[in-house]
Amino acid sequence: MQNSLVFMTILFFSNTTLCAITPEITNPDKFNENIYIVKHLSANRGYSPSLGSDCGDITLKDFNPKIYRSQKNKTNNPIYQGITLQYCSIEKEAKSNGYVAGMLLPEKIYFDNNDKIWKNRIKKMSAHDIIASQKLYGVKNINELKAINIYNIESVNASGYAIIDYNITKEEQRSNIKKKLSFCLFSNTEAFCGSGSMIYLFDGKEVDFTNYVLKSLETVEITPLLN
């Protein structure tokens, strides 16, 4: 009995310390780790599988406060949309591509094989890419673009990155997007990725959901399909 208790204690301790967000974040307003909705995702029912990949079943905890989840706009649709694009990709390809949405930004997201973490570095852009970037984001000078923030995520049984991006394309600006979060979590040969807008207007006040979503990503568990 004593050995069983020791084993259970070690198991519980390892599960609670495995999940992490680096750098650390401040818990969002009204955050309660004991209040959440469990979301179950599967191919074509929560995420889109890419050719040759299927992440199987995915579960995570949605920590967004109920008061925000229930409010709707004038067209009776939920105000908060959160991660609107979710897909499964091949791990090798997703790692190699890095932050695809930021290809026209002067930064490169890459996995440092020595430190085993995701990092960003300044990259040299061609004259063609600079012009394309200026048109895409509606800026006169590439220096007007803002630096992106990167977080390393360790979830229940996956690891990867989350990107916070304030660089909004002209098309996104028309949809009142002000801040984006993109992520990829890797488990075995698959990569669970997604993106969405993080700032929404409730009763005339902007609410930022970034840290709620980061905390949710920390709880992602991927159960691969059995062959």
Side-chain angles (χ1 to χ4, degrees):
M1 179 68 176
Q2 185 177 1
N3 290 339
S4 298
L5 288 174
V6 171
F7 173 77
M8 289 174 66
T9 302
I10 294 173
L11 181 62
F12 175 78
F13 181 77
S14 64
N15 284 341
T16 56
T17 57
L18 173 66
C19 304
I21 302 172
T22 307
E24 293 184 7
I25 63 171
T26 302
N27 283 342
D29 185 38
K30 301 178 182 178
F31 176 77
N32 187 330
E33 64 179 8
N34 297 314
I35 300 177
Y36 55 84
I37 292 176
V38 177
K39 287 192 172 181
H40 298 271
L41 310 175
S42 59
N44 298 315
R45 294 190 64 183
Y47 69 82
S48 301
S50 298
L51 183 63
S53 65
D54 191 328
C55 293
D57 295 321
I58 299 172
T59 60
L60 71 155
K61 298 175 182 178
D62 183 353
F63 292 111
N64 292 319
K66 183 179 179 180
I67 186 175
Y68 296 130
R69 291 197 302 265
S70 59
Q71 291 192 43
K72 297 184 178 181
N73 57 23
K74 294 180 180 179
T75 57
N76 204 36
N77 291 315
I79 295 175
Y80 173 71
Q81 298 294 321
I83 301 299
T84 51
L85 173 65
Q86 297 180 123
Y87 61 94
C88 183
S89 182
I90 298 173
E91 183 255 6
K92 186 177 181 180
E93 292 181 1
K95 270 193 174 181
S96 176
N97 292 335
Y99 180 41
V100 176
M103 290 183 68
L104 288 178
L105 292 175
E107 293 183 75
K108 170 67 177 178
I109 303 302
Y110 69 101
F111 185 72
D112 188 313
N113 285 302
N114 292 324
D115 295 336
K116 302 301 179 183
I117 61 173
W118 288 87
K119 298 180 179 180
N120 58 328
R121 62 171 178 244
I122 302 299
K123 71 177 181 183
K124 186 176 181 180
M125 299 178 67
S126 67
H128 177 272
D129 283 348
I130 289 175
I131 293 173
S133 181
Q134 291 170 332
K135 289 182 179 179
L136 180 67
Y137 294 104
V139 297
K140 294 182 179 180
N141 192 305
I142 198 74
N143 293 327
E144 295 178 43
L145 295 175
K146 300 176 181 178
I148 59 178
N149 298 326
I150 181 169
Y151 292 89
N152 278 267
I153 307 291
E154 292 286 343
S155 75
V156 176
N157 67 345
S159 63
Y161 66 82
I163 301 295
I164 310 301
D165 192 350
Y166 288 93
N167 299 295
I168 310 302
T169 67
K170 291 190 291 185
E171 181 179 352
E172 291 169 336
Q173 291 171 23
R174 288 191 285 270
S175 299
N176 295 318
I177 294 175
K178 297 182 178 181
K179 180 182 184 182
K180 299 174 294 185
L181 182 147
S182 299
F183 72 90
C184 268
L185 295 177
F186 305 92
S187 179
N188 297 317
T189 59
E190 312 298 340
F192 171 51
C193 306
S195 62
S197 175
M198 291 294 105
I199 294 180
Y200 294 87
L201 200 64
F202 289 86
D203 300 323
K205 179 183 177 181
E206 287 187 348
V207 178
D208 190 338
F209 289 86
T210 303
N211 286 7
Y212 292 112
V213 175
L214 288 174
K215 295 297 291 185
S216 292
L217 291 177
E218 198 179 20
T219 69
V220 167
E221 183 170 7
I222 300 174
T223 304
L225 293 174
L226 297 177
N227 294 326

